[in-house]
Amino acid sequence: MPSFDVVSELDMHEVTNAVDQANRELQSRYDFKGVQAGFEQSGENVTLEAEVDFQLQQMLEMLKSKLTSRKIDIKCMEVKEPDVSGVKAKQEVVLRQGLDQPMCKKIGKVVKDAKLKVQTQIQGDKVRVTGKKRDDLQDAIALLREADIELPLQFNNFRD
């Protein structure tokens, strides 16, 4: 029976490359000359550090552009409130990946409400969608791409 898996994964190597590119651009930009500013990645967290709040906003836009140029969906970004304390301003950006239980249930509900001839099954941090026809599965993929889900979704393990 044809099936595919719905997952939400990040290529952490590409994330590291995007952060490195953003750091290089930061060093070469004229408006950041002589400013103590930088990006630091630790796992799935990226810390933005600058002298004032508006520089953090510019750095955030820089990071978003580097991530999108590396084909990473910026819907995975959870931007925390900036922490401004006198001389330094810090902001934390969490890169979310993996589907938690409520998100899996939401995906299953979206597919079930569309009345497609497919079944969903939650398997840990992914949702398996099975159906009798390949066309039904392709309709389910199109539906999930259009759905309002706050995480980027990938569809892998497509079996015929």
Side-chain angles (χ1 to χ4, degrees):
M1 185 174 275
S3 67
F4 69 89
D5 293 335
V6 180
V7 295
S8 179
E9 297 172 341
L10 287 176
D11 185 358
M12 293 310 287
H13 186 68
E14 290 295 333
V15 170
T16 304
N17 289 341
V19 170
D20 289 344
Q21 278 185 335
N23 265 326
R24 271 187 255 123
E25 182 180 330
L26 194 65
Q27 292 169 356
S28 67
R29 278 185 47 164
Y30 183 74
D31 54 343
F32 281 94
K33 290 284 186 207
V35 175
Q36 291 291 330
F39 297 92
E40 186 178 315
Q41 180 188 3
S42 59
E44 295 178 354
N45 294 340
V46 179
T47 306
L48 287 67
E49 204 169 304
E51 292 177 355
V52 287
D53 187 32
F54 81 91
Q55 290 174 336
L56 286 178
Q57 296 304 318
Q58 291 175 330
M59 290 172 65
L60 188 61
E61 291 304 314
M62 202 182 307
L63 181 63
K64 285 180 181 178
S65 73
K66 296 302 176 192
L67 286 172
T68 50
S69 70
R70 294 242 164 225
K71 296 188 178 32
I72 297 174
D73 196 343
I74 59 172
K75 285 197 290 186
C76 70
M77 292 175 61
E78 181 182 329
V79 181
K80 305 282 187 182
E81 287 295 314
D83 178 30
V84 181
S85 60
V87 188
K88 282 211 180 231
K90 274 187 167 185
Q91 190 168 19
E92 194 79 23
V93 175
V94 179
L95 301 171
R96 300 175 298 171
Q97 68 176 349
L99 298 173
D100 54 355
Q101 202 68 20
M103 188 61 65
C104 289
K105 287 182 181 179
K106 182 177 180 181
I107 290 171
K109 184 170 175 14
V110 166
V111 172
K112 195 166 287 264
D113 289 347
K115 304 231 186 276
L116 296 173
K117 295 181 180 177
V118 295
Q119 293 81 39
T120 60
Q121 185 179 23
I122 298 172
Q123 296 181 339
D125 63 345
K126 62 184 174 184
V127 179
R128 166 119 344 130
V129 180
T130 58
K132 290 185 179 176
K133 295 182 184 173
R134 182 182 190 144
D135 292 341
D136 294 336
L137 294 180
Q138 290 172 339
D139 291 342
I141 289 175
L143 172 76
L144 288 172
R145 284 199 174 136
E146 298 298 318
D148 185 30
I149 296 174
E150 55 267 5
L151 281 176
L153 298 177
Q154 291 87 32
F155 309 99
N156 61 16
N157 205 11
F158 196 97
R159 301 191 184 234
D160 220 356

